Amino acid sequence: MATFDQGNGHSGWSSDVATVTLGLDGVVTGWSEGARRLLGHRAPAVVGRAATDLLHGAAAPEATGLSPTGSQEWRGTAALRHRDGHRVETTLHAQPSLDADGRARCFVVTLFPHTGPPLVQWAFDQSSIALSTHATASGAWQRNAVAQGGGEGAPETDGERQAPALADDGFLRSVRRVADEGVPLRYECLAPEPSCAPGATPATPLLTSTHHRAWVIELWPVRDPGTGEVVGVGTAAFDSTDQHAARQRLALLQEAGARIGTTLNVTRTAQELADLAVPRLADFVSVDLLDSVLRGDEPVPGPVDAAVVLRRAAHQSTAEGEDVPEAAIDLGDMDTYPPFSPPARCLADGKPVLSGVDDPDFEAWIAGHETRTARVAEFGFHSVMATPLRARGITLGVAVFARVKGSPPFEPDDLLLAEELAGRAAVGVDNARRYTRERTNALTLQRSLLPRDLPRQAAVEVAYRYLPAGTGAGVGGDWFDVVPLSGTRVALVVGDVVGHGIHASATMGRLRTAVRTLADVDLPPDELLTHLDDLVTHLATDKEDIAPDEPYLVSGEIGATCLYAVYDPVSRVCTVASAGHVPPVVLLPDGTARVVELTPGPLLGVGGLPFECTEIELPEGSLLAFCTDGLVETRNRDVGLGLQRLCEALSGPATSLEATCDTILKALLPASPSDDVALLLARTRALHADQVAAWSLPSDPSVVADARAQVTRQLRAWGLEEAAFVTELVVSELVTNAIRYGAVPIGLRLIRDRTLICEVSDASNTAPHLRRARTYDEGGRGLHMVAQLTQGWGTRQTPAGKTIWAEQSLPAG
């Protein structure tokens, strides 16, 4: 019998499709040829019989909606009995045939045979992939053996609501999202091995673990072929443990590039390696280095033979808190590794070594150290990797990675990862070692060039501080100096060479020497800076002593700033000139602090631009603060704000200049300054009228005798009669020379302080020269006699001419 086809919108019979017509009472009223071919029964044998007689077994499918008043289609599955008795799995699709009133007259049931149900089911059951389906209506799961957690047997069906073994909260949320939104998703998770107890986790989140496996789960919506409605969710889980471990290793190496070697500090770099490897690669890590590496020295190239003595630079473990209870050696202590120990073996061969409790050398190494034996027994160390730290062909030390009980032993892949991490750390350690060596050399050079003890002088009371940079910038070229000048005057100098390193320190030494030389000539501040500017220009173009591959000293690369001030305690005038340097700050006796307003000049080395002097009269007891830009300028603070804070710190209460230095540094500097800092404080003194005597002399040779008499009377008033004889000879010679070779006005001045100074000034710029008189010469012996009788003499230029001075010690008592 054929079936009436309603699906195509026309009446017709089809002999290809198995169709059955059922009455409202469930009796077969029609039987198609396709049904005969499917089940083997002819129409006379089944028409008029109850449809349930065709079922294979007693259970009948639930046919909701098959009623006279119903108009719903129905789908389901059923196992039917073939004419020869075997089971035929089919999918049933029932459609009502309606009358004019919309009531069902009968039902046309289309039978779709499962052409390969055994093959599909077998593939589902026997797949090595964890497969499962979830029915959205009933919440039932169907899982194959792998999805059940590795068990054997048929998949669990028939309304089983237990989720697959890989399911966790995130997986179930993904299932609900796929069912609600109808879009496929991918979910990744870590799940315990079937041999592990449910919910078991490894002792530490190691990169490789025999307790857990990684899974990638694909989820997709299952739709009704007819309506397109999501009726379930299908899942397929793929074991991605190897890929997950590879990604973790790559992530660890990438993180190592960012976390190891962040500072140019040897021990800090070693600690960064230990912190990174714990707990992701090992439960305990130690880093031991050669003592020469910690000092910045150059280790012996190549592997290290025989027993090696190393110093513990860093270690880390999974123990909570700051202590590392697993460590047998304390930080900073030395340890000797015997030749057979894994660390010594890896240093001798230059290759990583994998060892453990099954290695006799490991057991012998542990047994030879009492504390190490106790730690191994207490924490259960069972697997060890020793990796040499080598960079640029030299051996720096060794890194030891260990795992304790509860963690799996190391594998060859772990050894490769440890070797890569150690190699990256070794480069960082070597960079820090090389920096330490260069910094030590630069500091040594710099300290040798800076003044250790400032010279004694009467013009100012001084205190100073010098702090080298505390970061990777390197040692700079900051310097300061105090230079005594004639007439009890003093020069105060602060400078800064552009750049860092040994070259900056060497340039600083040259400039400091040049300043001292020019100061001895008694040049005014502006002229001195002009000569210094010429020197820097010459240094920038002098390449004779520089190697061709050395990227330094090209034209214009050397620059420096300098502040040069001369204070005269007699006039209480301070003359200052600046070459691009930070201006000084002055604290007056009344408590007022301000920045000295200067006419700023160009940096040294620019050339062609003038420098100008600024004169300020200071009351006795004024406090001058000279500094470099490292004190007042930072990345977050400009020079103006820094000088304002310097004024505030300078105005605070202080018991001494030394205490004031400490207060200023504490107020303006971080714990580790990024640039060199030089600070020079000078409190001014003044020479009063009872310490200075001055006379104006006419240009007449007869006045020489009167000048000697006036000097004698003044020395008697000061109680310095013992110095009268020498002083009279000096005055006689200097006044005679001024009258004979100089120009009016001529002045004579005596200054009594820590020494006795005699000065003769005139309006001529011609300076006298000391020479050796021949036997029959009538002159030329006067200055030679002055030089022999005094402890020093000299000439300085003044705006009005020149001044010749001679200084002698005061009589004892």
Side-chain angles (χ1 to χ4, degrees):
M1 179 178 177
T3 182
F4 185 73
D5 190 350
Q6 296 176 325
N8 296 326
H10 63 275
S11 300
W13 299 95
S14 172
S15 61
D16 297 331
V17 180
T19 58
V20 179
T21 304
L22 299 180
L24 299 180
D25 55 359
V27 175
V28 178
T29 59
W31 188 262
S32 70
E33 178 62 21
R36 185 195 66 77
R37 287 196 299 269
L38 177 64
L39 297 177
H41 300 284
R42 295 184 179 275
V46 293
V47 173
R49 296 175 59 185
T52 56
D53 294 342
L54 298 175
L55 297 176
H56 191 283
E62 181 181 357
T64 303
L66 298 183
S67 64
T69 59
S71 60
Q72 299 179 359
E73 296 184 5
W74 174 83
R75 290 179 182 271
T77 59
L80 302 182
R81 184 176 63 251
H82 196 271
R83 182 173 177 271
D84 59 10
H86 77 266
R87 180 186 182 109
V88 179
E89 298 287 346
T90 61
T91 298
L92 308 180
H93 184 192
Q95 291 180 307
S97 178
L98 307 178
D99 58 15
D101 297 330
R103 296 177 61 86
R105 297 180 301 174
C106 63
F107 291 92
V108 179
V109 182
T110 305
L111 309 179
F112 299 98
H114 290 181
T115 56
L119 182 60
V120 172
Q121 191 65 53
W122 293 340
F124 185 81
D125 294 343
Q126 300 175 21
S127 172
S128 60
I129 301 173
L131 299 173
S132 62
T133 59
H134 174 69
T136 56
S138 64
W141 284 92
Q142 182 175 352
R143 303 166 293 162
N144 65 0
V146 178
Q148 294 178 39
E152 297 180 357
E156 299 183 11
T157 56
D158 300 331
E160 177 64 49
R161 293 180 178 272
Q162 183 178 358
L166 300 179
D168 56 12
D169 291 340
F171 171 77
L172 297 178
R173 286 194 298 270
S174 299
V175 171
R176 289 193 293 270
R177 181 179 175 186
V178 172
D180 295 340
E181 301 178 6
V183 294
L185 289 178
R186 171 177 290 185
Y187 178 72
E188 299 185 17
C189 68
L190 287 173
E193 286 281 10
S195 59
C196 294
T201 57
T204 56
L206 302 173
L207 292 177
T208 56
S209 171
T210 57
H211 300 299
H212 275 58
R213 302 195 71 81
W215 297 90
V216 175
I217 304 176
E218 299 287 347
L219 301 94
W220 65 92
V222 178
R223 301 180 183 273
D224 187 300
T227 65
E229 179 184 359
V230 177
V231 296
V233 177
T235 71
F238 303 90
D239 188 345
S240 62
T241 303
D242 293 340
Q243 295 87 341
H244 176 76
R247 290 198 304 270
Q248 291 293 94
R249 287 184 170 89
L250 288 176
L252 185 61
L253 290 176
Q254 183 177 7
E255 188 175 350
R259 290 182 53 183
I260 299 178
T262 59
T263 64
L264 292 173
N265 182 282
V266 173
T267 56
R268 180 57 192 161
T269 303
Q271 189 63 51
E272 288 169 347
L273 169 62
D275 293 342
L276 179 68
V278 175
R280 296 166 65 180
L281 179 60
D283 299 315
F284 171 80
V285 173
S286 65
V287 181
D288 297 338
L289 301 175
L290 294 169
D291 228 12
S292 57
V293 175
L294 294 169
R295 294 193 305 266
D297 298 338
E298 191 78 19
V300 179
V304 179
D305 297 329
V308 58
V309 179
L310 301 173
R311 188 178 297 276
R312 178 62 51 87
H315 53 214
Q316 186 58 276
S317 75
T318 56
E320 297 181 357
E322 298 181 357
D323 296 333
V324 181
E326 298 93 335
I329 305 298
D330 293 332
L331 288 177
D333 288 352
M334 304 291 292
D335 190 22
T336 301
Y337 292 92
F340 56 82
S341 65
R345 284 160 48 195
C346 83
L347 290 176
D349 298 337
K351 299 179 181 179
V353 171
L354 179 60
S355 182
V357 292
D358 55 348
D359 184 358
D361 288 340
F362 175 82
E363 296 290 342
W365 173 46
I366 298 303
H369 193 284
E370 182 178 354
T371 305
R372 187 172 283 115
T373 302
R375 296 291 187 271
V376 170
E378 179 180 358
F379 296 98
F381 287 96
H382 61 84
S383 186
V384 168
M385 295 186 298
T387 307
L389 297 177
R390 302 190 69 230
R392 301 179 180 93
I394 59 175
T395 299
L396 306 170
V398 63
V400 176
F401 305 82
R403 286 184 177 173
V404 299
K405 58 184 177 183
S407 297
F410 288 115
E411 300 175 357
D413 287 346
D414 298 320
L415 194 64
L416 296 176
L417 177 60
E419 184 178 14
E420 183 69 22
L421 289 177
R424 299 195 178 194
V427 173
V429 169
D430 191 50
N431 288 337
R433 176 194 65 82
R434 291 154 65 93
Y435 168 76
T436 299
R437 180 184 60 186
E438 182 174 348
R439 176 177 170 80
T440 301
N441 294 339
L443 281 174
T444 302
L445 174 62
Q446 190 177 48
R447 290 193 180 101
S448 67
L449 297 174
L450 288 172
R452 297 184 180 181
D453 295 316
L454 296 180
R456 296 182 59 189
Q457 41 76 39
V460 292
E461 176 191 359
V462 295
Y464 62 91
R465 292 290 186 273
Y466 180 83
L467 297 178
T471 65
V475 178
D478 294 16
W479 93 92
F480 64 93
D481 210 344
V482 176
V483 184
L485 303 177
S486 62
T488 67
R489 297 170 307 131
V490 66
L492 305 170
V493 192
V494 180
D496 184 4
V497 176
V498 176
H500 295 84
I502 292 180
H503 291 299
S505 296
T507 303
M508 176 269 289
R510 289 180 172 184
L511 295 182
R512 178 172 177 260
T513 302
V515 169
R516 274 191 162 269
T517 303
L518 294 172
D520 287 341
V521 183
D522 245 330
L523 293 177
D526 54 344
E527 293 187 25
L528 183 141
L529 292 182
T530 300
H531 287 286
L532 202 61
D533 180 59
D534 293 338
L535 173 63
V536 173
T537 302
H538 292 318
L539 290 177
T541 57
D542 183 10
K543 304 180 183 178
E544 294 181 358
D545 57 343
I546 304 300
D549 58 344
E550 190 169 1
Y552 185 71
L553 288 187
V554 297
S555 180
E557 274 202 8
I558 293 184
T561 65
C562 184
L563 185 72
Y564 187 82
V566 175
Y567 174 68
D568 187 346
V570 177
S571 63
R572 299 191 301 278
V573 172
C574 184
T575 305
V576 188
S578 172
H581 199 81
V582 179
V585 171
V586 60
L587 174 65
L588 300 177
D590 61 2
T592 304
R594 62 181 177 86
V595 179
V596 178
E597 296 183 3
L598 302 177
T599 302
L603 270 68
L604 298 176
V606 174
L609 297 175
F611 300 95
E612 297 185 23
C613 289
T614 300
E615 292 187 351
I616 52 174
E617 186 172 349
L618 299 174
E620 183 179 6
S622 299
L623 182 58
L624 288 166
F626 303 88
C627 66
T628 54
D629 58 357
L631 179 66
V632 294
E633 184 180 19
T634 64
R635 293 181 179 178
N636 303 321
R637 184 181 66 206
D638 60 18
V639 176
L641 180 58
L643 289 174
Q644 180 181 347
R645 292 186 59 183
L646 176 58
C647 291
E648 295 172 357
L650 200 64
S651 302
T655 57
S656 64
L657 289 187
E658 296 292 337
T660 303
C661 285
D662 296 334
T663 300
I664 291 174
L665 296 182
K666 183 177 180 181
L668 273 72
L669 289 182
S672 181
S674 59
D675 195 7
D676 285 16
V677 173
L679 173 65
L680 177 63
L681 298 183
R683 176 174 286 124
T684 63
R685 297 182 175 129
L687 297 182
H688 301 286
D690 60 346
Q691 294 179 273
V692 180
W695 301 272
S696 180
L697 305 177
S699 182
D700 184 355
S702 63
V703 81
V704 176
D706 185 54
R708 288 198 301 266
Q710 293 187 67
V711 166
T712 302
R713 286 193 296 270
Q714 185 62 54
L715 293 178
R716 187 179 301 112
W718 285 342
L720 300 177
E721 294 87 349
E722 295 183 19
F725 176 74
V726 173
T727 307
E728 287 181 0
L729 290 177
V730 171
V731 169
S732 179
E733 177 60 31
L734 297 185
V735 171
T736 300
N737 284 344
I739 295 173
R740 180 178 299 177
Y741 305 109
V744 293
I746 299 173
L748 170 63
R749 184 170 70 168
L750 288 182
I751 300 174
R752 175 181 62 87
D753 191 60
R754 297 181 180 180
T755 60
L756 179 62
I757 301 172
C758 177
E759 295 182 344
V760 175
S761 304
D762 66 80
S764 172
N765 291 322
T766 304
H769 297 282
L770 183 65
R771 63 185 179 87
R772 184 177 297 277
R774 289 174 293 184
T775 304
Y776 299 103
D777 288 346
E778 295 182 359
R781 297 179 179 84
L783 285 180
H784 183 75
M785 180 182 62
V786 171
Q788 295 296 319
L789 295 176
T790 61
Q791 66 181 38
W793 77 280
T795 303
R796 67 173 181 269
Q797 299 295 320
T798 64
K802 68 175 181 297
T803 297
I804 304 175
W805 57 271
E807 183 176 359
Q808 55 183 308
S809 302
L810 295 178

